[in-house]
Amino acid sequence: MMKEIVLFFAVLVAIVIGQANQPLNVVPYPQQVEMGSCNIPVTSILITSNIESTTFSVSMERYTNLFFPFNNVSNSEENDSSSITLEVTIYSDDETLQFGIDESYNLVIQEESYQIKTATIYGAMRALETFKQLITYNQLDNSYSIQCVSISDYPRYPWRGFMVDTARHFIPKNMILHMIDSLGFSKFNVLHWHIVDAVSFPVESTTYPNLTKGAFSPSAVFSHSDIEEVVAYAKTYGIRVIPEFDIPGHAAAWGIGYPELVATCPDYAANVNNIPLDISNPNTFTFLQNFFSEISPLFFDNYFHTGGDELVTGCWTEDPTILNWMTKMGFSTTDAFQYFENNLDNIMKSINRTKITWNDPIDYGVQLNPETLVQVWSSGSDLQGILNSGYKALVSFAWYLDKQVPDGKIHYEWQDTWQDFYAADPTVNITSNSNNILGGEATMWAEQINQVNWDVRVWPRAIGIAERLWSSQSINTVSLALPRIGQFTCDLSRRGIQSGPLFPDYCPMQDDLVFTMKPNIKLSNSEIKLILNK
């Protein structure tokens, strides 16, 4: 009881202080805020845009449906003085979505003028999310209003990713679309799709159809059309989808349909994660070339993740064929790993993709192509060395959502690990070359995760990561963030995301709210084609 009383007063104090220091209940917190003095009642909102765009039309429809969560409030009175028009001005109709796209926006709300101005549709999407969060609901008189404000906003980092693992547990397509909803609401802009690993190969291939013998079940497979729908749907949130096919380690699932691809090492085979590709076989590289040439066009992003982590080179040296090849070539295991990565670079070049790897090859002594983007899962000290070597890097080691103790700190309540994620700045203890950090990614490895518990394990803990990657470095006080994140997690739950509370409060919801693992908008086949081809 005493703990609850202390927590209640701590939250109350944080709310009072926060209203002075961070007056908007917006997550992630904007870069520049100038408060107005008016509070405008609103019953209906019409969004207009100066450009024609199927992609942005989906976003406008989405937020129009989200603005008023309580359907007992009228929002359709055409001549009501509290009906407003939100005018969106986008200065370019180019819908190209690649790394570094401009996501900045200006949002001005004042009496009789509601304006969003932005360079791209993706900045407009971020502005719509901010606008949505500015709408407040008053339970006492059953009304909505919006605060007058001027906001100039942009992300701190251009790469704000989330890794989803669909290999250790198959996650149905509709659940992935639902995940994209939650990531888009929090202004993440990359879905890192860890799609294949040692335990399963859930991706259809027309070139090598036996690969899906490595799936958990014939029904646990992503078709090409499934992938296209995921990529198109993500684009309506300004989210890039980057696949990861983890090689040369963690390759056992490749070998179920094509056993000639993988090494043979009985002493290591008890752990399926120990089985790597057989890189002594030239046909392995032909296979990878053909397969990646088939798969890469489904993902329009310039980046392609090839894993590279946790390679067990002892399996190579136990396989007589591979060991004889290494001896003939005069290769150590590091040389063999280098040989693989060099060949993989040639494949990536042929499909016009930039390679991403985990930091393991560098730890093993491999010299990667200087253009390689390195995702660091191990430690800040490894990150510093990688930055000093001239590589561009992504930070992940501080944001493993599958961990109970992500940063060595133990909390009485597990959800409070959000504070550790929030406090983990990418540049902490980095003394040089921090400009080589492109951003970071949260990771949710799926050994104990599937569509049943994904939401409640990720949210609201990941909200802290979203703000750390978007907001100014100076926005870093847990006590000030807590009331804002508390309100946002309530808002997410009203949108159908099972994001729970962080402190005692009341989150009003519709009585008939049902959590469904489905996207909030269903794209038609024609919309998918238009979005992907724009």
Side-chain angles (χ1 to χ4, degrees):
M1 183 66 178
M2 181 60 66
K3 174 182 178 294
E4 293 178 353
I5 294 173
V6 171
L7 176 61
F8 172 78
F9 280 105
V11 172
L12 184 62
V13 170
I15 291 173
V16 173
I17 296 174
Q19 288 173 344
N21 293 275
Q22 296 174 11
L24 292 183
N25 276 316
V26 173
V27 177
Y29 203 76
Q31 299 287 345
Q32 298 176 21
V33 173
E34 183 178 338
M35 297 299 299
S37 58
C38 57
N39 198 49
I40 302 166
V42 57
T43 57
S44 177
I45 299 171
L46 173 67
I47 307 172
T48 64
S49 171
N50 65 313
I51 68 169
E52 295 291 331
S53 166
T54 300
T55 308
F56 188 58
S57 292
V58 172
S59 187
M60 290 194 295
E61 179 186 357
R62 172 178 293 124
Y63 280 98
T64 298
N65 294 336
L66 291 173
F67 285 149
F68 303 100
F70 299 98
N71 56 24
N72 56 324
V73 176
S74 171
N75 62 356
S76 59
E77 300 175 31
E78 295 182 1
N79 297 318
D80 195 316
S81 60
S82 55
S83 298
I84 68 174
T85 298
L86 176 61
E87 299 178 0
V88 181
T89 302
I90 302 168
Y91 294 112
S92 172
D93 61 1
D94 185 353
E95 297 187 13
T96 302
L97 180 60
Q98 292 290 349
F99 170 72
I101 191 71
D102 191 338
E103 299 173 90
S104 65
Y105 65 89
N106 290 304
L107 169 61
V108 177
I109 300 170
Q110 53 191 19
E111 289 181 300
E112 300 184 1
S113 180
Y114 314 89
Q115 302 277 343
I116 290 172
K117 295 184 179 181
T118 177
T120 69
I121 62 171
Y122 307 110
M125 292 173 188
R126 308 296 175 239
L128 287 178
E129 174 58 39
T130 299
F131 184 87
K132 161 68 180 82
Q133 293 184 41
L134 291 172
I135 301 170
T136 58
Y137 173 65
N138 187 325
Q139 297 177 65
L140 295 178
D141 62 4
N142 198 33
S143 66
Y144 290 97
S145 62
I146 191 164
Q147 173 70 49
C148 291
V149 68
S150 177
I151 294 172
S152 179
D153 200 13
Y154 52 88
R156 179 184 176 194
Y157 287 106
W159 195 299
R160 307 179 309 283
F162 201 108
M163 192 216 73
V164 174
D165 176 5
T166 62
R168 290 174 176 83
H169 279 97
F170 180 77
I171 297 176
K173 178 198 67 179
N174 277 346
M175 181 60 189
I176 296 175
L177 301 179
H178 170 84
M179 291 175 177
I180 291 169
D181 287 332
S182 65
L183 298 178
F185 296 151
S186 300
K187 298 181 183 174
F188 285 98
N189 70 349
V190 175
L191 171 64
H192 169 176
W193 192 352
H194 188 89
I195 198 166
V196 166
D197 208 289
V199 294
S200 76
F201 201 107
V203 182
E204 171 193 49
S205 172
T206 56
T207 307
Y208 297 110
N210 287 346
L211 280 171
T212 51
K213 288 184 177 181
F216 288 123
S217 161
S219 62
V221 172
F222 299 107
S223 67
H224 286 192
S225 61
D226 289 337
I227 293 172
E228 288 176 335
E229 184 174 353
V230 167
V231 172
Y233 192 74
K235 190 177 180 182
T236 70
Y237 279 102
I239 293 176
R240 301 154 48 218
V241 181
I242 297 173
E244 180 186 351
F245 291 86
D246 193 1
I247 48 177
H250 291 197
W254 298 70
I256 295 175
Y258 297 91
E260 68 277 12
L261 290 178
V262 298
T264 302
C265 49
D267 290 346
Y268 290 89
N271 183 342
V272 70
N273 291 302
N274 290 342
I275 309 300
L277 292 174
D278 178 358
I279 65 169
S280 70
N281 184 352
N283 292 331
T284 297
F285 295 102
T286 302
F287 190 104
L288 294 175
Q289 172 74 62
N290 294 338
F291 176 71
F292 289 153
S293 295
E294 173 194 347
I295 291 296
S296 60
L298 302 174
F299 301 89
F300 57 72
D301 202 80
N302 289 337
Y303 284 89
F304 197 99
H305 206 307
T306 59
D309 64 313
E310 298 181 335
L311 171 65
V312 179
T313 57
C315 185
W316 280 346
T317 57
E318 188 179 294
D319 185 313
T321 301
I322 299 176
L323 180 58
N324 289 338
W325 170 79
M326 290 174 59
T327 301
K328 179 182 176 181
M329 299 290 289
F331 279 175
S332 66
T333 51
T334 299
D335 295 329
F337 201 172
Q338 182 75 63
Y339 172 84
F340 174 80
E341 292 295 334
N342 290 346
N343 277 274
L344 194 54
D345 284 338
N346 292 333
I347 294 172
M348 290 296 107
K349 184 177 181 180
S350 74
I351 63 172
N352 196 29
R353 295 293 186 269
T354 299
K355 185 172 70 176
I356 310 174
T357 72
W358 299 99
N359 56 271
D360 300 55
I362 293 175
D363 296 344
Y364 211 92
V366 173
Q367 297 294 313
L368 295 173
N369 183 311
E371 299 302 314
T372 304
L373 178 58
V374 182
Q375 186 166 4
V376 184
W377 68 267
S378 52
S379 68
S381 59
D382 282 346
L383 172 63
Q384 183 67 79
I386 287 163
L387 297 174
N388 291 346
S389 296
Y391 295 107
K392 303 294 185 182
L394 301 173
V395 173
S396 283
F397 55 84
W399 295 320
Y400 269 49
L401 285 121
D402 54 316
K403 291 185 176 182
Q404 295 189 52
V405 186
D407 194 31
K409 299 182 180 69
I410 298 175
H411 297 272
Y412 180 87
E413 292 181 296
W414 178 72
Q415 291 281 42
D416 282 339
T417 52
W418 79 268
Q419 299 173 31
D420 305 319
F421 300 133
Y422 189 76
D425 192 278
T427 61
V428 67
N429 297 325
I430 297 301
T431 58
S432 60
N433 298 305
S434 61
N435 58 305
N436 282 337
I437 300 174
L438 301 187
E441 290 189 353
T443 62
M444 177 48 88
W445 300 100
E447 284 88 348
Q448 297 180 352
I449 294 292
N450 62 13
Q451 67 269 32
V452 174
N453 63 343
W454 198 89
D455 269 8
V456 295
R457 290 288 297 274
V458 170
W459 307 105
R461 299 162 73 221
I463 298 173
I465 304 170
E467 178 153 304
R468 182 53 48 240
L469 289 169
W470 178 285
S471 300
S472 167
Q473 187 175 13
S474 63
I475 303 294
N476 59 10
T477 305
V478 166
S479 60
L480 297 183
L482 180 60
R484 291 188 293 104
I485 291 178
Q487 177 164 302
F488 184 52
T489 187
C490 173
D491 193 19
L492 286 181
S493 65
R494 285 196 291 259
R495 303 189 206 188
I497 309 301
Q498 296 183 83
S499 182
L502 291 171
F503 48 80
D505 68 343
Y506 172 62
C507 177
M509 298 187 192
Q510 291 285 9
D511 291 341
D512 60 351
L513 179 66
V514 177
F515 292 104
T516 60
M517 303 302 119
K518 294 181 180 180
N520 61 23
I521 285 182
K522 176 65 176 175
L523 299 182
S524 67
N525 288 335
S526 60
E527 286 176 321
I528 291 171
K529 286 181 170 43
L530 284 169
I531 291 167
L532 292 178
N533 293 328
K534 182 66 174 176

